[in-house]
Amino acid sequence: MFVLHKMASSSHPLFTSSLKFSTTHSPSLSSSFLSNPILYHRPKFQSFYLFKKPHYRFFSSPAAVATDPATALVADNNVSADVPKEVEKVVLPTNESSHTLLRIRHTCAHVMAMAVQKVFPDAKVTIGPWIEHGFYYDFDIEPLTDKDLKKIKKEMDRIIGRNLPLIREEVTRDEAEKRITAINEPYKLEILNSIKEEPITIYHIGNEWWDLCAGPHVETTGNINRRAVQLESVAGAYWRGDVNKPMLQRIYGTAWENEEQLKAYLHFKEEAKRRDHRRLGQDLDLFSIQDDAGGGLVFWHPKGALVRHIIEDLWKKIHSERGYDLLYTPHVAKAELWSISGHLDFYRENMYDQMKIEDELYQLRPMNCPYHILIYKRKSHSYRDFPIRVAELGTVYRYELSGSLHGLFRVRGFTQDDAHIFCLEDQIKDEIKGVLDLTEQMLLQFGFDKYEVNLSTKPEKAVGDDDIWVKATGALKDALDAKGWAYEVDEGGGAFYGPKIDLKIMDALGRKWQCSTIQVDFNLPQRFDITYIDSNSEKKRPIMIHRAVLGSLERFFGVLIEHYAGDFPLWLSPVQARILPVTDTQLEYCKDLTEKMKASGIRVELCTGERLPKLIRNAEKQKIPLMAVVGPKEVETESVTVRSRFGGELGTMGVDDFITKIKDAVDNRTSV
């Protein structure tokens, strides 16, 4: 996973591109990449704590804000063993924290493009920015193989070893166009035409290759440690992210200041691969996406559906306790509803085609908001009725390009944990504070206690009077201050309809995932003309707050799978215990035991048909938290011998004691 970080110079129309000439305005990624929901921001440094032994932690204390942004916890639960000693703890710089690293990565993109054109002289170059963990570059070239990447890397090493200088040159637009035309680089010509500023800057690698670019770069290629550079993969990418334009070959690379950093990054990457929710989802039989049904449509298998059921029950319980009324609304509505809401004007490209039913057009819902407003409008309201809180686990459908679909992280149908609050102006602060409290309570259940919080303020184009923007933004700040949460202000980053708070959670690998959002909306109340009667018997417009805690159940489930590496805590595990008879002689006792545990609310299953060692291995592979082995002695004493995935051998205990331990552990969010 890669994300682009904008630097101070990234707004310059020239940025990163390479080849005999290369230009890249602000690092622009393809639309599918920019819309990827798994992008996340990094703190200034990354500290990788890689435990050699499986380690599991359960959170029960009040949420703690990440007090040290320079440190990210990267291994907390069940991280793989055999961690190389030199990478047990390595602090990895980021592009923001190390300008040297940024220059190295930027220069590597140029060096790679130069190498590609030396190995493949007919290749045409486009753009190649630095990104979070390295760099990439797009080429118009025949599909590349791993063998080709090795050739390119070998040529890169030669260029680095020659210690060629990076030389900056300023030229006129006409001169740049003349040079581009001479080397027949049509993509570069298109980029040049999009640049508005002058003069045009060019960076040369020695006297052999040049690139339209604003910099920055290292002084010579020899400043790059070739052993800290690796080409990682190649993928297809449409030019300018447009499916109607040519398909290019995108080469991804990673670059660091030294070999130790590269080794730590590669180990982290392997750990992330081990936790990939798509593989674990298949191995643990949790979910699938069936080609016969279509891409981006999730099938929840029994075990995955059971976890979802647990999450939904918890969600409903917490919301009911906090004064929300739970709703169910339709999956389709007349297209006119989406015209009123503005979605047809501003969101059409993400909506499915309309359906004609009895001479009327209907639309699959991309959002839940208009439905909740219709429920509000069913009757008149007094100021005494507020606040009004409604919540729904509402499934929505959004069109995504097939190339942008990614497991549970980007799908075409997903269930939002959506809620809307209708309130008065002087209630905004308390309602936002209540949402923050609910968010903290909900996320702590899953072990998330470190957040990155951003407050986005009024953009240049916005609806609503200035005074209500000031009041709403102040209320958001006051609520965050009352929580004691540190936050960054994104000036002008709010939606056109109101300010907002976005919260990212940190997982066991230190990655940050956008989940919770709280948005104040001045737009939809106006569009739908919703009102209430105030204390002076006058019609006024209520404030509307949109909020989601988990984001979507599908995406949140994917995050949980990767956070826990498939090792769900006991309270959340789809199967909490597996009964393993030593021989078929104990089968009848095991059946009775299974029924007794089920009657006590424990999720248990009985497995037979194999020798005990294989039954244990299978339970380990399926990441079952508890195994209860039953032999002749256990039958005679009405007991079980327990093995915990996290606690090891727990010895023999009575059945009632075993059940009590499980129930206590579930209630306290601990392990047995």
Side-chain angles (χ1 to χ4, degrees):
M1 290 175 288
F2 298 90
V3 69
L4 183 65
H5 286 282
K6 294 182 179 178
M7 303 301 295
S9 63
S10 67
S11 59
H12 195 291
L14 297 176
F15 201 57
T16 270
S17 213
S18 343
L19 172 56
K20 301 164 183 172
F21 146 84
S22 179
T23 197
T24 296
H25 49 332
S26 63
S28 68
L29 306 179
S30 69
S31 60
S32 64
F33 186 84
L34 283 174
S35 62
N36 195 318
I38 61 176
L39 300 186
Y40 52 91
H41 297 292
R42 287 289 194 178
K44 291 185 178 179
F45 293 91
Q46 296 291 298
S47 292
F48 290 74
Y49 295 89
L50 301 172
F51 296 97
K52 291 187 176 181
K53 295 182 179 179
H55 176 75
Y56 213 90
R57 183 170 72 163
F58 294 88
F59 299 89
S60 58
S61 59
V65 179
T67 55
D68 182 5
T71 301
L73 184 66
V74 172
D76 206 350
N77 50 305
N78 203 29
V79 174
S80 60
D82 302 322
V83 180
K85 188 174 181 62
E86 64 271 21
V87 301
E88 279 188 44
K89 183 180 180 182
V90 175
V91 177
L92 293 182
T94 66
N95 294 327
E96 286 85 352
S97 68
S98 173
H99 280 225
T100 298
L101 179 62
L102 184 148
R103 291 170 184 270
I104 288 171
R105 288 173 172 172
H106 198 178
T107 307
C108 279
H110 285 229
V111 170
M112 180 175 71
M114 178 178 175
V116 166
Q117 291 202 309
K118 281 186 174 292
V119 177
F120 302 99
D122 293 333
K124 303 298 180 185
V125 297
T126 60
I127 60 173
W130 69 72
I131 51 179
E132 186 186 21
H133 294 131
F135 57 93
Y136 77 77
Y137 209 105
D138 289 349
F139 303 92
D140 190 343
I141 191 175
E142 291 298 314
L144 298 169
T145 65
D146 289 342
K147 187 176 180 180
D148 294 328
L149 292 188
K150 291 178 181 179
K151 292 179 182 177
I152 296 167
K153 178 58 167 64
K154 189 174 181 179
E155 182 59 37
M156 287 180 67
D157 291 345
R158 277 196 285 265
I159 295 170
I160 292 170
R162 292 171 64 193
N163 197 28
L164 298 172
L166 275 291
I167 305 167
R168 184 178 185 274
E169 180 188 11
E170 293 184 0
V171 298
T172 64
R173 183 177 299 275
D174 289 343
E175 176 63 19
E177 183 176 351
K178 179 182 176 181
R179 295 189 190 185
I180 295 168
T181 303
I183 60 175
N184 188 26
E185 289 288 353
Y187 297 98
K188 292 298 181 183
L189 195 60
E190 183 177 334
I191 293 172
L192 177 65
N193 291 334
S194 69
I195 297 172
K196 306 303 180 185
E197 298 180 14
E198 293 196 37
I200 305 300
T201 56
I202 289 175
Y203 273 86
H204 297 261
I205 299 181
N207 296 315
E208 302 176 25
W209 189 92
W210 56 274
D211 190 358
L212 278 180
C213 187
H217 292 283
V218 297
E219 292 184 0
T220 71
T221 60
N223 294 143
I224 300 170
N225 184 341
R226 63 184 178 83
R227 292 187 177 85
V229 178
Q230 186 173 105
L231 298 186
E232 297 187 287
S233 62
V234 61
Y238 291 106
W239 171 234
R240 298 296 198 188
D242 188 338
V243 296
N244 297 312
K245 293 184 177 180
M247 171 67 77
L248 307 173
Q249 292 290 293
R250 174 173 296 176
I251 302 176
Y252 284 106
T254 188
W256 300 90
E257 296 169 337
N258 54 58
E259 295 175 69
E260 290 71 26
Q261 291 176 3
L262 176 61
K263 289 177 182 178
Y265 164 72
L266 293 177
H267 186 86
F268 166 81
K269 188 178 175 183
E270 283 302 309
E271 182 60 29
K273 182 179 179 181
R274 186 180 74 88
R275 292 168 178 261
D276 191 313
H277 75 281
R278 294 166 298 179
R279 180 183 62 80
L280 288 172
Q282 180 176 346
D283 292 347
L284 302 178
D285 197 21
L286 300 172
F287 73 91
S288 64
I289 295 174
Q290 304 284 340
D291 290 339
D292 290 344
L297 302 174
V298 181
F299 286 73
W300 294 76
H301 298 185
K303 290 180 180 178
L306 212 163
V307 176
R308 173 172 173 161
H309 177 70
I310 296 167
I311 296 171
E312 288 185 352
D313 279 355
L314 176 64
W315 187 91
K316 292 174 184 176
K317 178 178 180 293
I318 290 176
H319 280 74
S320 294
E321 290 172 349
R322 290 187 173 269
Y324 287 80
D325 292 318
L326 303 184
L327 307 176
Y328 290 102
T329 57
H331 290 231
V332 297
K334 291 181 180 179
E336 176 63 18
L337 184 66
W338 309 106
S339 178
I340 296 172
S341 70
H343 288 98
L344 283 177
D345 294 328
F346 303 108
Y347 205 70
R348 186 186 295 269
E349 69 275 10
N350 292 104
M351 298 171 65
Y352 280 99
D353 291 341
Q354 296 171 1
M355 302 170 283
K356 191 171 185 180
I357 302 175
E358 296 181 350
D359 297 325
E360 286 192 288
L361 293 175
Y362 281 74
Q363 180 78 53
L364 277 171
R365 65 174 173 186
M367 305 281 187
N368 301 305
C369 330
Y371 291 119
H372 295 184
I373 292 175
L374 292 184
I375 290 177
Y376 174 92
K377 288 189 70 173
R378 77 192 188 281
K379 64 179 183 180
S380 60
H381 294 278
S382 162
Y383 69 95
R384 297 184 181 88
D385 299 332
F386 296 101
I388 297 171
R389 308 182 190 103
V390 295
E392 176 181 14
L393 293 168
T395 301
V396 298
Y397 303 90
R398 299 179 187 175
Y399 172 68
E400 302 286 353
L401 294 174
S402 59
S404 68
L405 299 176
H406 181 87
L408 297 176
F409 291 153
R410 182 163 288 276
V411 294
R412 288 172 171 164
F414 56 93
T415 302
Q416 290 182 311
D417 70 318
D418 216 351
H420 295 91
I421 300 171
F422 302 91
C423 65
L424 309 178
E425 288 183 18
D426 59 4
Q427 295 174 332
I428 297 176
K429 174 185 173 182
D430 289 341
E431 289 306 304
I432 297 298
K433 174 64 163 53
V435 173
L436 295 177
D437 289 341
L438 185 154
T439 299
E440 180 180 45
Q441 179 184 0
M442 190 78 189
L443 294 178
L444 273 175
Q445 305 295 316
F446 303 96
F448 298 116
D449 69 344
K450 292 182 175 61
Y451 319 128
E452 177 183 293
V453 183
N454 294 286
L455 170 63
S456 301
T457 61
K458 185 179 181 180
E460 288 187 15
K461 295 182 179 180
V463 299
D465 297 332
D466 286 344
D467 60 338
I468 187 60
W469 270 90
V470 171
K471 183 172 288 188
T473 304
L476 295 180
K477 289 181 178 179
D478 290 344
L480 287 170
D481 291 339
K483 283 295 294 179
W485 285 2
Y487 60 91
E488 295 290 332
V489 177
D490 179 12
E491 295 290 353
F496 75 93
Y497 52 77
K500 62 176 182 173
I501 294 172
D502 289 319
L503 185 149
K504 300 179 180 73
I505 58 176
M506 185 185 294
D507 73 2
L509 287 185
R511 299 171 299 183
K512 294 184 180 180
W513 304 86
Q514 171 69 57
C515 283
S516 309
T517 186
I518 307 167
Q519 304 172 351
V520 180
D521 188 352
F522 313 129
N523 181 50
L524 287 185
Q526 180 179 326
R527 280 182 170 269
F528 282 92
D529 192 26
I530 61 173
T531 60
Y532 69 93
I533 304 301
D534 71 3
S535 57
N536 296 319
S537 299
E538 296 179 356
K539 279 190 175 183
K540 293 290 182 65
R541 211 173 296 288
I543 300 298
M544 184 177 181
I545 299 172
H546 305 253
R547 46 113 298 194
V549 176
L550 307 180
S552 84
L553 294 185
E554 286 76 7
R555 185 167 176 270
F556 187 71
F557 186 45
V559 172
L560 285 181
I561 293 172
E562 298 203 359
H563 175 63
Y564 294 124
D567 271 316
F568 294 106
L570 185 65
W571 73 274
L572 192 59
S573 181
V575 178
Q576 295 171 318
R578 185 173 280 186
I579 309 299
L580 308 178
V582 175
T583 68
D584 287 347
T585 307
Q586 295 86 43
L587 196 54
E588 202 60 38
Y589 172 84
C590 289
K591 289 179 180 178
D592 293 340
L593 174 59
T594 301
E595 292 305 314
K596 182 174 182 177
M597 293 180 70
K598 285 183 177 180
S600 297
I602 297 170
R603 299 185 292 277
V604 61
E605 61 185 19
L606 170 62
C607 285
T608 63
E610 302 284 355
R611 294 174 60 85
L612 183 60
K614 188 169 184 179
L615 291 176
I616 293 174
R617 283 197 302 274
N618 290 342
E620 288 285 345
K621 287 181 180 179
Q622 289 297 303
K623 302 181 186 293
I624 307 297
L626 295 168
M627 287 172 271
V629 178
V630 176
K633 181 180 177 181
E634 285 77 16
V635 173
E636 181 181 346
T637 58
E638 296 187 356
S639 62
V640 290
T641 296
V642 181
R643 178 171 181 168
S644 168
R645 183 161 174 79
F646 307 117
E649 303 293 343
L650 301 182
T652 301
M653 62 184 73
V655 171
D656 290 338
D657 287 342
F658 183 43
I659 291 173
T660 299
K661 283 183 180 293
I662 294 175
K663 295 176 73 172
D664 287 346
V666 169
D667 291 341
N668 295 309
R669 299 291 193 265
T670 58
S671 59
V672 173

